[in-house]
Amino acid sequence: MIYRLSRSFSTLKYNHLRVLFFGNDKFSLPSLELLNREFKKQSFVEKLSVVTHMKMQSNPVKKYALKENLEIFPWPIGQEIQGQFDVGIVVSFGHLLSASLIESIPLGIINVHGSLLPRWRGAAPIMHALMAGDTETGVSIMRIKPDKFDIGEILAQTRIHIDPDTLMPQLHDDLANLGGALLLDCLRNIEESLAKAKPQSSQGVSYAPKVDKRPEPVRWDELTSTEIFNHFRAFFSFKHLMTNWQEITFKLLSISTREITSSDQLSVLKDKSPGSFVFHKQERCFIVKCSQDTYLNILSIGIEGRKAMSALDFYNGFIRKRPKSPETSKFQ
């Protein structure tokens, strides 16, 4: 792509950038806040304006921009930005940008993406990294190209370790903050960053499509306990894993994987099918058999129209009242 310059590179004030920010959600916010801090100091940000969805009910970027009296352009935008900006910044915006829009900004448009591209291109890289059980992820600063998401040259990357019990909200916030800091580093040396940008590797490409908000049934017979727990971590605070006992559907609110030892006395589950469970009275949890002879603890649950319930309360209030049978000792 040829980037047409409204001001020549020789006269462009790289230490006084006019920035157009595209964003909508919570992941966008740390980058915008850091840019606004620099704008207020008049360090290397000379001008800062925002493009966002004005009609979105929950839009922290709009709320922040209004509070800070930043200029806002409602999406979609037209020719009104022509000649006003040096660089565009996209952070979790969710829309493809046209070639004409990109080319109207001298330095083009760069993106803060929550993965180590080319791994996890797409709308939900953080969730997919957790679902896959990745032990590492990071942030990529890349050049936006028209027609396809997340394929542009990489300006910078930084890595972060994922602990085995990390939940999505924590990783989301860590990456959002990390992305904002890395973005500022790139912008402070924008000429050098753009000059050193490298094409993405054709190896290791994977995709992270948008995840819908419908509750996800637990597939006891298909997934190991670790895989189920990874889904739980990925969806935490976004949506719930669900399962059934008899006619009752409930959410899994607190779970953990379980290493089986000789002291667990779980011989009753050895020859049972996945989804079968026992209630551990001392630990006050359900132990559920999963695929490949792995086991999961369920510590608390949620039933529609009721407050969160401990495993003990569910056991005493429902399961103990039913005659014991194979059907009453299995989640579906």
Side-chain angles (χ1 to χ4, degrees), residues 220 225-226 228-229 232 252-260 264 266 269 277-280 283-290 294-301 311 331:
W220 299 109
S225 59
T226 297
I228 293 169
F229 185 61
F232 175 82
L252 306 188
L253 299 183
S254 179
I255 65 175
S256 63
T257 57
R258 186 180 190 90
E259 294 295 329
I260 300 301
D264 274 311
L266 295 180
L269 290 176
F277 67 86
V278 295
F279 182 72
H280 196 300
E283 297 183 19
R284 298 184 175 187
C285 69
F286 294 107
I287 304 173
V288 192
K289 186 173 184 179
C290 308
T294 57
Y295 296 85
L296 189 80
N297 297 325
I298 298 179
L299 301 135
S300 65
I301 67 163
F331 296 135

Side-chain angles (χ1 to χ4, degrees), residues 216-252:
E216 180 169 304
V218 179
R219 305 191 301 275
W220 299 109
D221 57 343
E222 296 179 26
L223 302 180
T224 65
S225 59
T226 297
E227 290 169 333
I228 293 169
F229 185 61
N230 286 342
H231 281 66
F232 175 82
R233 296 194 296 141
F235 301 148
F236 193 86
S237 82
F238 178 73
K239 68 175 184 177
H240 291 98
L241 297 182
M242 309 285 288
T243 195
N244 298 304
W245 180 79
Q246 302 286 285
E247 74 283 359
I248 300 170
T249 299
F250 62 86
K251 311 166 189 174
L252 306 188

Side-chain angles (χ1 to χ4, degrees), residues 66-208:
L66 289 170
K67 180 175 71 73
E68 294 294 313
N69 295 312
L70 295 173
E71 180 182 34
I72 301 176
F73 294 95
W75 178 261
I77 56 173
Q79 297 300 312
E80 64 268 30
I81 66 159
Q82 192 75 33
Q84 294 192 47
F85 299 96
D86 302 315
V87 65
I89 307 297
V90 169
V91 187
S92 192
F93 190 57
H95 293 279
L96 286 170
L97 305 184
S98 68
S100 61
L101 174 59
I102 296 169
E103 291 177 1
S104 71
I105 299 178
L107 293 175
I109 301 177
I110 60 177
N111 172 234
V112 180
H113 185 78
S115 81
L116 296 173
L117 292 169
R119 185 162 177 80
W120 303 130
R121 292 174 177 170
I126 300 171
M127 288 187 187
H128 283 273
L130 289 170
M131 277 191 280
D134 289 359
T135 58
E136 182 183 58
T137 188
V139 173
S140 302
I141 309 296
M142 53 153 285
R143 195 192 286 273
I144 288 283
K145 290 190 173 183
D147 303 324
K148 290 185 179 181
F149 286 111
D150 307 328
I151 63 169
E153 298 89 347
I154 301 295
L155 281 66
Q157 286 186 325
T158 188
R159 298 171 180 270
I160 188 172
H161 177 72
I162 305 176
D163 290 327
D165 58 351
T166 297
L167 302 177
M168 188 272 287
Q170 183 61 58
L171 185 58
H172 174 283
D173 291 352
D174 288 347
L175 290 174
N177 292 325
L178 198 65
L182 188 61
L183 172 65
L184 289 196
D185 286 343
C186 286
L187 290 179
R188 286 190 182 100
N189 303 284
I190 187 65
E191 186 176 13
E192 182 180 357
S193 298
L194 290 168
K196 292 183 176 180
K198 296 181 179 180
Q200 293 185 35
S201 172
S202 60
Q203 305 297 314
V205 176
S206 60
Y207 296 94

Side-chain angles (χ1 to χ4, degrees), residues 264-276:
D264 274 311
Q265 299 178 346
L266 295 180
S267 58
V268 65
L269 290 176
K270 183 177 180 181
D271 298 320
K272 300 294 184 179
S273 59
S276 300

